Amino acid sequence: MLALIMAGGKGSRLRMGEKPLVTICERPMLSYVIDAFEVAEHEVVVVASHRTPYTKNWCRARGVTLYEAEGLGYVEDIQAAAGDLGEEGTPFFTCVSDLPCLVPDIITSVEDAWHRAGTPACSTWVPRDLCEEHGCRTQYTETVDGTPACPAGINILTAGDLVGPQEELRLLLHDRRLVFNINTREELALVQEYLCRKRIP
């Protein structure tokens, strides 16, 4: 399945340059997400824009497939990339580029749950309490399966009419690795501690 990794935004809240290239344990955040999807055997396309020229250069230098969007917005860039790269009725992943704790088993579990549900789309969520427990901010919350939850940043859509909402599985995942969606320096420090500590022998 195609995986669109969204890397076209300014990352203005973090104020550290292009967010996809902010390093964690000496690796750009974007590389963690790419590796997770590639190990899960999905075809990766990084969606960048004029707002992220260094990210585009990084992808070109490493042979990562790149789609150059206009940078009109997250949803607009998905629509443009899906329209140009996908075929009618073809499902694909979308994922933010600042989810460095994403691993292949999470991707596989999302795909398996989506297959079982039989819906065109799948959105993933983590409990708000889990986010707050790990010191992460919760700017947007909805109730999923009776639980206040925050979007995890990894989704499945089906190419075709992406203007309106698609029937979707709302998948609640109690997995702390999904709470680390990096928007502030405080959240970056948290994930630095989590990931770099894991690497210490």
Side-chain angles (χ1 to χ4, degrees), residues 32-144:
Y32 290 91
V33 182
I34 290 173
D35 286 355
F37 276 102
E38 288 185 339
V39 172
E41 300 184 344
H42 293 287
E43 178 187 355
V44 168
V45 175
V46 172
V47 180
S49 75
H50 63 91
R51 301 177 189 275
T52 51
Y54 293 107
T55 299
K56 291 193 287 187
N57 289 341
W58 184 91
C59 290
R60 292 188 187 105
R62 287 155 183 79
V64 177
T65 303
L66 183 67
Y67 177 86
E68 298 193 43
E70 294 187 30
L72 299 177
Y74 189 84
V75 173
E76 291 83 359
D77 286 353
I78 289 175
Q79 291 171 338
D84 288 343
L85 300 173
E87 297 180 3
E88 186 82 17
T90 302
F92 60 95
F93 273 100
T94 67
C95 188
V96 293
S97 60
D98 58 345
L99 201 61
C101 297
L102 183 67
V103 292
D105 69 273
I106 293 176
I107 296 168
T108 300
S109 67
V110 171
E111 186 177 10
D112 289 345
W114 169 75
H115 275 298
R116 290 193 300 270
T119 55
C122 173
S123 60
T124 58
W125 304 78
V126 287
R128 183 180 65 193
D129 288 351
L130 188 61
C131 296
E132 294 174 345
E133 178 184 334
H134 290 278
C136 297
R137 295 185 180 182
T138 54
Q139 293 187 338
Y140 180 78
T141 302
E142 286 193 15
T143 300
V144 179

